[in-house]
Amino acid sequence: MTPSLLMAVLASGFIYGITPGPGVLAVFGIGAARGRRAGAGFLCGHLLGDVVWCSTALIAIVGAREIGSTAFDVLGVLSGLYLFWLGLRAIRAKRSSADAPQGPARQPFWHGILFGLTNPKAYPVAVATFTALLSSRAELLHWSMLPWLIVLSFVGGLMAYAILIGIVGARQVRTLYQRHELAITRLCGVMFIGFAINALAHALPGLVTNKA
């Protein structure tokens, strides 16, 4: 495993874990309502869902790569288009009148497990994010690497959650987050579009070459 591939997988797990979404909003709500310990419990439970969805995404990505470059390129194009769509939605987002989920669950850990495993967007976002960041190193992906890929993505997610745990629970932080939520969402939209362009730039030439 090359250093560039190692960093790409770590970055994928980190970005997947820290990017604002339902889970991040929920943990800020729980932290504000019940403190850092409850927020950490929620994230520990939510991490199980992340491991499941990231592992499934990596299996799909490596499987597509082993089947052939065309299958991986098709996956790359679909992932790029999905990320581009998510990015456009984020950039065009408007402030919601509804407050962020408070999530003052009595058992934050179990609430986190259920939340992480039942998020319908988790799998497609994981596939799209990992494909976008790994597409330039597709030729290095093999089944023998899968356990290490899963471990590295897990470590990346832990790094993201460590940062969240460090800041969750402070009402000032949550207030600041909510005040600038729209700007943060739009900034993430720009980031997603960048990932989409990267995925499409690596996938489209391969499809054109194979078709020719």
Side-chain angles (χ1 to χ4, degrees), residues 78-155:
L78 293 176
S79 298
L81 293 176
Y82 180 68
L83 281 176
F84 194 86
W85 177 72
L86 286 179
L88 283 180
R89 284 191 62 188
I91 290 174
R92 298 170 61 185
K94 298 180 180 179
R95 185 172 297 279
S96 174
S97 58
D99 195 8
Q102 297 297 317
R106 294 180 179 178
Q107 297 180 314
F109 177 75
W110 294 108
H111 180 53
I113 290 178
L114 182 63
F115 200 104
L117 290 175
T118 57
N119 184 355
K121 292 184 178 180
Y123 175 69
V125 171
V127 171
T129 303
F130 278 79
T131 301
L133 293 179
L134 297 179
S135 57
S136 62
R137 304 161 186 86
E139 70 280 358
L140 301 176
L141 300 177
H142 302 286
W143 285 118
S144 60
M145 288 183 173
L146 186 60
W148 285 109
L149 296 176
I150 293 174
V151 169
L152 287 171
S153 68
F154 174 75
V155 172

Side-chain angles (χ1 to χ4, degrees), residues 169-190:
R171 291 187 180 274
Q172 297 88 343
V173 172
R174 181 169 177 262
T175 299
L176 182 67
Y177 184 89
Q178 289 183 326
R179 183 178 300 167
H180 300 286
E181 179 185 346
L182 192 58
I184 294 172
T185 299
R186 289 174 175 172
L187 182 61
C188 288
V190 174

